[in-house]
Amino acid sequence: MHGRRSAADQRLDGYLTATARGSEEAYTLLYDSLSGSVRGLALRMVRNASQAEEVAQEVMLEVWRTAARFRPEHASARSWVFALAHHRAVDRVRSAQAASDRDRRVARSNSERPFDVVAELVQDRDERRRLYQCLAALCRDQRVPLVLAYYEGLTYEEVARALSKPAGTVKTRMRTGLHRLRECLEAGE
């Protein structure tokens, strides 16, 4: 271990170690302890609140999936999670810059693009942003299974195994989450 770690850092190390063993409770405690700071770090880097929220959700999902890679003798849990967040935010900034460069090249090569194509692009981005906001508003028990299923491509059974929950419980949580997600999206129309 590098130097003496504070009691808070030792507690986070324990949460992450227990998460690696599949403890959903430890993951919840870790998530509650670090997700706000991860979002803050991402916001400082990407400078867009909805993008920062996406980065934070992606990072915290990655923490759940890759917790077994954590080595407390090399870094604290806080440092390890922040390193993941930093890398993900840098990737997001690079991706945004590449997209912006690509958009500029396309705009120069085709300066008379039809209005409806531009309107569709804006609408798609707005819908995606709204979806992420509605996902973030769901409780963790509903959000995590949906993210695992729809963004990671896991089946009900795989989600149930990943969360150490019965498949029926996962299906119920996903159904309820989808219902609440639909209500949220419809409320924003």
Side-chain angles (χ1 to χ4, degrees), residues 101-122:
D101 293 347
R102 192 172 43 252
D103 289 347
R104 276 196 295 279
R105 281 194 306 275
V106 168
R108 278 195 305 265
S109 69
N110 186 8
S111 61
E112 295 194 19
R113 213 157 64 170
F115 174 78
D116 55 49
V117 172
V118 173
E120 286 178 25
L121 286 173
V122 169

Side-chain angles (χ1 to χ4, degrees), residues 1-3 5 9-10 12-14 16-17 67 69-84:
M1 221 185 283
H2 295 105
R5 294 196 182 147
D9 280 341
Q10 290 176 12
L12 291 174
D13 290 355
L16 187 50
T17 302
R69 295 182 191 160
F70 171 63
R71 298 290 175 260
E73 63 274 11
H74 296 296
S76 69
R78 182 184 311 273
S79 298
W80 188 78
V81 171
F82 283 2
L84 292 176

Side-chain angles (χ1 to χ4, degrees), residues 51-185:
Q51 291 283 321
E53 181 64 36
E54 289 176 31
V55 168
Q57 290 296 327
E58 291 168 3
V59 168
M60 295 312 293
L61 179 60
E62 185 176 356
V63 167
W64 171 257
R65 286 188 355 257
T66 64
R69 295 182 191 160
F70 171 63
R71 298 290 175 260
E73 63 274 11
H74 296 296
S76 69
R78 182 184 311 273
S79 298
W80 188 78
V81 171
F82 283 2
L84 292 176
H86 181 267
H87 291 298
R88 185 63 61 112
V90 166
D91 289 346
R92 183 62 60 104
V93 168
R94 287 180 181 154
S95 175
Q97 184 61 50
S100 176
D101 293 347
R102 192 172 43 252
D103 289 347
R104 276 196 295 279
R105 281 194 306 275
V106 168
R108 278 195 305 265
S109 69
N110 186 8
S111 61
E112 295 194 19
R113 213 157 64 170
F115 174 78
D116 55 49
V117 172
V118 173
E120 286 178 25
L121 286 173
V122 169
Q123 184 177 355
D124 287 348
R125 287 182 185 147
D126 286 344
E127 287 173 0
R128 196 168 41 249
R129 185 177 313 115
R130 182 73 185 138
L131 174 63
Y132 287 126
Q133 289 170 341
C134 289
L135 263 174
L138 293 175
C139 73
R140 185 190 170 286
D141 284 344
Q142 294 165 357
R143 180 180 57 249
V144 171
L146 289 175
V147 169
L148 290 172
Y150 291 99
Y151 289 99
E152 298 299 316
L154 301 183
T155 65
Y156 281 119
E157 292 78 19
E158 290 169 331
V159 171
R161 276 195 306 275
L163 299 177
S164 301
K165 297 287 181 198
T169 300
V170 168
K171 284 182 182 181
T172 300
R173 288 178 180 177
M174 289 178 72
R175 240 187 328 254
T176 303
L178 285 171
H179 178 72
R180 290 201 174 128
L181 193 60
R182 186 179 317 111
E183 287 176 344
C184 178
L185 290 169

